[in-house]
Amino acid sequence: MPTLIQQDYYRKKGKFRKVFYWDVCFDPGLKFLYWFRKAQMTSAGNPLGLFYRLMLRRFQIRYGYQISAKTQIDGGLYLGHWGAVVVNPKVIIGKNCNLAHGVTIGQTNRGVKAGFPQIGDDVWIGTNAVIVGGIKIGNNVLIAPNTFVNQDVQDNSVVSGNPMTIVNNEKATEGYLNNKV
């Protein structure tokens, strides 16, 4: 079974292999994901874990990814462009998720939908999309750019607009997600 770093690398490069730092040093998204996965694999009390978290913090500041090592993200995360991606540490994201720049995935503190989003497998999230609240995003979902999502979204859907509209589509992410793991 490939490691999470190998799965992330596969999404970008299309091949499974043991991933070393020099394999990712020219791609900001992969460089961030390398340190993100390393920080996830070790405890904060471990000296090596502390080093990984310091490197993760360095690249969070450098590239604008605000994704904590505590965030549960399955393999195959794809960060196409760097800059201003914010993900709450309590969010859960499934495998093969694409996050474009400007994406915010956060909590809502009050109301019926208070809580954190859970995002399924094979989800493409477009530029400047905002996903908030204790909601569930199903599998095979495309969230269009500039969409505000604050309600549950069933499997096989395309979501767009503000207020959001949901259209069922069995091929919602076809052509958007390459090299799925």
Side-chain angles (χ1 to χ4, degrees), residues 3 7 10 12-13 23 26 44 49 98 109-110 112 115 119-120 125-126 133-134 136 144 147 156 164:
T3 65
Q7 292 176 38
Y10 178 75
K12 188 77 166 201
K13 300 294 184 177
D23 294 320
F26 297 110
N98 280 36
N109 293 327
R110 60 185 177 191
V112 177
I119 299 172
I125 303 172
K136 293 186 182 200
T147 299
N156 306 314
M164 65 183 255

Side-chain angles (χ1 to χ4, degrees), residues 9 16 29 37 50 54-55 73 76-77 80 88 106 109 112-113 127 129 131 137 142 145 156 166-167 174 176 178:
Y9 184 81
F16 282 112
R37 297 301 188 185
L50 177 62
L54 288 172
M55 291 302 292
I73 302 176
L77 180 63
N88 188 289
N109 293 327
V112 177
K113 297 289 184 176
T127 304
I131 303 169
I137 307 294
L142 185 143
N156 306 314
I166 301 171
V167 177
E174 187 175 300
Y176 285 89
N178 297 327

Side-chain angles (χ1 to χ4, degrees), residues 63-138:
Y63 297 126
Y65 298 123
Q66 195 172 343
I67 305 172
S68 169
K70 296 176 185 176
T71 308
Q72 295 179 38
I73 302 176
D74 209 345
L77 180 63
Y78 183 94
L79 300 171
H81 303 282
W82 54 279
V85 173
V86 179
V87 179
N88 188 289
K90 295 183 181 176
V91 168
I92 299 171
I93 299 176
K95 66 180 181 176
N96 298 322
C97 183
N98 280 36
L99 298 178
H101 57 284
V103 168
T104 300
I105 305 173
Q107 74 182 54
T108 300
N109 293 327
R110 60 185 177 191
V112 177
K113 297 289 184 176
F116 312 93
Q118 291 183 345
I119 299 172
D121 297 339
D122 302 329
V123 176
W124 186 89
I125 303 172
T127 304
N128 295 323
V130 177
I131 303 169
V132 294
I135 61 173
K136 293 186 182 200
I137 307 294

